[in-house]
């Protein structure tokens, strides 16, 4: 019973990703409540410290969910074509979900940090060409991150159990 904490890890990762996504979208809403001024193709607005704090919290929760899933899921890799062709379906799935979760994490984290830093107190105004929607896109990507990270954790855990079972079967089959 002590080793069956996988369900709780999956729930924890999903909750962290969902809360991070909601916070990212709320940060975008807070940012949009500030004064805006449009000049030709540039849009200027005053930074929102509330959007900065909420965006930073969303990025932190996203990073925490990613670290938890990767540390507890273990590191599942395939080093060569031969190893890939001889790998089990769970190992192939784990590698695919690991790659996708890292890609989505990198993009979502970057978007949340860019959106949060655009709202830091050190900036008096933010004038740029189409430099909005970073926080909401990062928030939406947090949901997608959860959809890739939980299957990675499940596949990685299943791969470890398969490998442990195969090692025990090999050990039991050896003559002593």
């Amino acid at each position: 019973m002590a080793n069956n904490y996988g369900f709780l890890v999956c729930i924890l990762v999903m909750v962290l990703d969902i809360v991070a996504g909601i916070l990212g979208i709320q940060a975008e809403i807070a940012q949009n409540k500030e004064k805006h001024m449009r000049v030709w193709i540039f849009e200027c607005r005053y930074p929102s410290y509330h959007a900065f704090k909420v965006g930073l919290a969303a990025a932190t929760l996203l990073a925490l969910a990613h670290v938890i899933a990767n540390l507890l899921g273990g590191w599942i890799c395939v080093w060569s074509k031969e190893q890939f062709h001889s790998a089990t379906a769970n190992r192939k799935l784990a590698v695919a979900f690991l790659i996708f979760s890292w890609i989505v994490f990198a993009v979502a984290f970057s978007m949340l940090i860019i959106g949060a830093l655009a709202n830091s107190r050190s900036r008096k105004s933010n004038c740029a060409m189409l430099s909005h929607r970073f926080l909401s896109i990062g928030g939406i990507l947090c949901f997608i991150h959860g959809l890739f990270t939980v299957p990675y954790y499940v596949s990685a855990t299943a791969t470890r159990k398969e490998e442990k079972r195969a090692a025990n079967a090999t050990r039991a089959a050896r003559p002593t």
Side-chain angles (χ1 to χ4, degrees):
M1 181 69 183
N3 291 334
N4 293 332
Y5 59 88
F7 180 73
L8 294 175
V9 172
C10 291
I11 295 296
L12 176 65
V13 168
M14 278 307 296
V15 166
L16 287 172
D17 278 327
I18 289 170
V19 171
I22 291 170
L23 288 177
I25 293 169
Q26 284 181 344
E28 181 77 33
I29 291 168
Q31 175 182 305
N32 289 337
K33 289 181 181 177
E34 292 298 319
K35 292 183 191 177
H36 286 268
M37 182 176 75
R38 192 168 183 85
V39 179
W40 196 44
I41 60 171
F42 297 101
E43 185 175 336
C44 299
R45 61 173 174 73
Y46 293 103
S48 167
Y49 186 64
H50 180 67
F52 170 74
K53 291 189 302 186
V54 174
L56 208 53
T60 303
L61 289 177
L62 174 66
L64 183 63
H66 194 73
V67 166
I68 288 172
N70 281 288
L71 285 180
L72 295 180
W75 188 255
I76 304 294
C77 334
V78 175
W79 296 104
S80 65
K81 276 188 178 181
E82 295 81 28
Q83 189 180 15
F84 179 76
H85 291 302
S86 66
T88 63
N90 278 330
R91 180 176 275 283
K92 290 177 183 178
L93 275 175
V95 169
F97 282 123
L98 177 67
I99 292 168
F100 287 131
S101 73
W102 270 99
I103 291 170
V104 173
F105 170 74
V107 174
F109 189 76
S110 299
M111 298 288 267
L112 289 171
I113 292 296
I114 290 169
L117 289 179
N119 286 293
S120 70
R121 281 191 173 165
S122 63
R123 301 177 67 108
K124 297 296 180 209
S125 68
N126 187 14
C127 292
M129 189 171 72
L130 303 173
S131 68
H132 47 78
R133 305 269 186 257
F134 286 119
L135 291 167
S136 61
I137 293 170
I140 291 167
L141 287 175
C142 287
F143 298 128
I144 296 170
H145 178 263
L147 294 178
F148 285 120
T149 305
V150 169
Y152 162 70
Y153 175 79
V154 171
S155 298
T157 305
T159 299
R160 279 200 323 255
K161 286 181 181 178
E162 282 177 349
E163 290 172 353
K164 196 180 291 185
R165 204 173 301 129
N168 288 340
T170 305
R171 201 174 307 129
R174 277 191 219 151
T176 54

